[in-house]
Amino acid sequence: MDSELTIEKFKEEFKSDILEIRVKNQKRMIITVNPDSIVNVAEYLYRIAGFRFIIASALHTKRGFEIHYHFSKDISGLILNVHVVLDRSNPQIASLSNMFNASNWIEREMHELLGINFLNHPNQEKLISEGNWAEGVYPLRKEFK
Amino acid sequence: MSKKTLIPIGPYHPLQEEPELFKLYCDGEIVKDIKWETGYNHRGIEKLSESKTYEQIFFLVERICGICSNSHPFAFANAVEEIADIEITNRAKYIRSIIGELERLHSHLLWVGLAGHFLGYNTVFMWAWKYREPVLDLFEMISGNRNSYAMFRVGGVRRDIEAIKIPAIHKVLDDIKKKTDLLTGAIMDDPVIHARTKGVGILTKQDIIDYGAVGPTARASGVAIDVRKDDPYAAYPLVNWKVITAESGDVFAKAEVRLLEMYESISIIEQCLDGLNKEKEGDITIKVKEIPEGIGNGRAEAPRGEVFHFVQSDGSSSPVRHKIRAPSYVNIATFKKSCIGQTIADATISLAAVDPCYCCTERMAVAYDINSGERIMNANELINESAKKTNEIKNTFNSQI
Amino acid sequence: MGFKNYCFKKSLWVFHFGGASCNNCDIEILDCLTPRHDLERFGILLVGSIRHADVLLVNGSINTRDKERLIEVYNQAPKPILVVAIGACGCTGGYFTESYTFAGPVDKIIPVNAYVPGCPPKPEAIIAGIIKLVQNS
Ligand code: SF4
């Protein structure tokens, strides 16, 4: 089917960068990739494969900081989660906002909520924290023993 | 550089449902730049959600936004049911869709009213809000509350729509259809509205793709995305309906899409009501023992576009992470494209055309201090400006006749 | 008749402050003005500036950032002013009390004259609240 084709092509394109593929069903997939390749992956999905960027979700887990970039292929109803795991002590990743505007706000938000640094972001200003919590406080970070 | 005028839209406009403020930087009549701040409505919902159980979260996500207080639970239910691999009963599916479409009706009516107000047609505003009331009455009849219906739960819905209530719903729908005809006629054929909205606030296909805009905003620019069709959920695959699109991407197209969508909603509800008759009464929920470990991406089509919920569960009674993306979050950003280059009089309606919902996104800013030398115009004056333009156009039309 | 009563004898002009609310209360307040309930027949008018207002309606939970604005609005209000907290959020903070941005219910920030509980309160309840307030003040 369409989704299988998409994934085959994706595999060919990014052989060395894919760390794990989890296929839940025809409409939901999670692909873990190497953080360094995120710009290329996003570029491929957005420009060539015709995906739409929905949003990104960042979370703090024992493994470090994880980000799921959610991409949607509207024709087939496929949601592809591009998953990256970032270093715990110095979380940073390249920004996608130079490619599409859709990720501009969410990257700023992740920066404020979890302190993930987005390299080359056009404008990493405060979005929601102004007056609400101080700089350097990251409300969504957790404590792990 | 010529002196720019800073115009704050807002902060507290009497007929605006929410306080919001955009700073429009203007040169003469033309808007040169637009800025906004957020954070006024940050309530930390995503964090709160991690401390609540799945059943409790439905009440929380319902309170993200009052107008679409059903679409967030809808998306959340889809996400959680995806994790637990639950297939709900057909009756529950129909009820979910009925609630969702009733909500679309009242939300679009609300928008028509506000848009009318922004153009200086206060009669439209009063009418549209009057016609909206019967829908709220239906909600009160079905769920017990006019808004925030608390209808959803994991594995089904909380309340049934019994056969005895169905005739009342049919009656209201018939009424609304007539009223929609009236509103559509008033808007589609009015040369003044054409003059005010056609070619105003245009978003091209490329803008939509770039900003990732969704819902009627995208569909008015010819991007036919609708989660109900693309990634069907609840009863949408069981009934017949079509996605409404328009090509021009201006304010008029957005109004057109919304008005025509109301007819689709009415037809969906009617088909769902017929479907309900075939299912056994009371068969509305299935037992769910626990939510296993996993990841769920749930989405639903709210009146304003795609709502997206990401839920990660570790098998306990509350999620590890719950990310919420409301449609306005991506739609509001398109103001940069639709407003710049417009005149001030057109800015309000361009802003309103997206049907922004700030509580979904975060509350916008309130600015008080404006550097000296800059002229200030408040929201009232801005609306007046818009109404003035409508009147001028009206007069020209009248003098031609 | 005291000075305060004299002030509130005629048409009341209300100003609406929405904190970090979910919009439902806002919409229901607006709903009071539309034909079904039509508050304007009692001379109650929603105004765009706090400087014209007799009544300040506050709804929604107040987050740290709204707090300053609320105080500012209250200070700008002509006194005497009646403050009404609308909705569960306005009265207590509602569901958002445990949030990290919550800055306290309205009555911890400015003096409140009346509470209209509900989530959201029906337009009838809002009207009843204002009427009771006027009768008792
Ligand atoms: S009281 Fe309820 S309806 Fe009102 S703002 Fe709070 S959550 Fe929304």
Side-chain angles (χ1 to χ4, degrees), chain C residues 31-96:
Chain C
D31 224 57
C32 297
L33 295 171
T34 51
R36 162 86 62 101
H37 304 286
D38 198 11
L39 261 187
E40 284 183 18
R41 70 200 145 122
F42 303 123
I44 295 179
L45 187 69
L46 207 54
V47 291
S49 166
I50 181 67
R51 294 198 167 86
H52 303 157
D54 302 304
V55 181
L56 171 60
L57 305 178
V58 186
N59 75 287
S61 74
I62 306 297
N63 72 15
T64 354
R65 199 173 184 189
D66 292 330
K67 191 176 163 186
E68 290 158 40
R69 301 300 180 198
L70 182 58
I71 294 171
E72 203 167 337
V73 164
Y74 185 75
N75 289 340
Q76 286 174 353
K79 308 288 174 331
I81 186 140
L82 299 172
V83 180
V84 184
I86 305 248
C89 289
C91 297
T92 63
Y95 217 139
F96 305 104

Side-chain angles (χ1 to χ4, degrees), chain B residues 63 148, chain C residues 21-26 59-60 86-90 96 118-121:
Chain B
R63 276 153 187 77
S148 300
Chain C
S21 83
C22 81
N23 212 344
N24 248 341
C25 285
D26 311 54
N59 75 287
I86 305 248
C89 289
F96 305 104
C119 185

Side-chain angles (χ1 to χ4, degrees), chain B residues 12 14 17-18 37-43 52 56 63 66 132-133 137 140 146-148 359 363 366, chain C residues 17 19-24 26 28 31 36 46 48 63 65-66 69 95 98-101 119 122:
Chain B
Y12 287 98
E17 73 259 46
E18 300 153 280
E37 293 161 39
T38 43
Y40 280 84
N41 198 20
H42 188 80
R43 282 162 287 168
K52 305 264 185 261
Q56 290 173 325
R63 276 153 187 77
R132 188 178 153 260
E133 287 291 331
D137 289 344
E140 198 169 348
R146 285 159 55 93
N147 316 71
S148 300
C359 40
R363 182 83 62 198
V366 184
Chain C
F17 181 98
S21 83
C22 81
N23 212 344
N24 248 341
D26 311 54
E28 294 290 44
D31 224 57
R36 162 86 62 101
L46 207 54
N63 72 15
R65 199 173 184 189
D66 292 330
R69 301 300 180 198
Y95 217 139
E98 295 154 28
S99 155
Y100 52 88
T101 57
C119 185
K122 295 205 163 80

Side-chain angles (χ1 to χ4, degrees), chain B residues 180-195:
Chain B
T180 317
D181 285 342
L182 196 119
L183 282 173
T184 317
I187 290 170
M188 295 293 184
D189 298 336
D190 189 329
V192 180
I193 290 188
H194 281 216

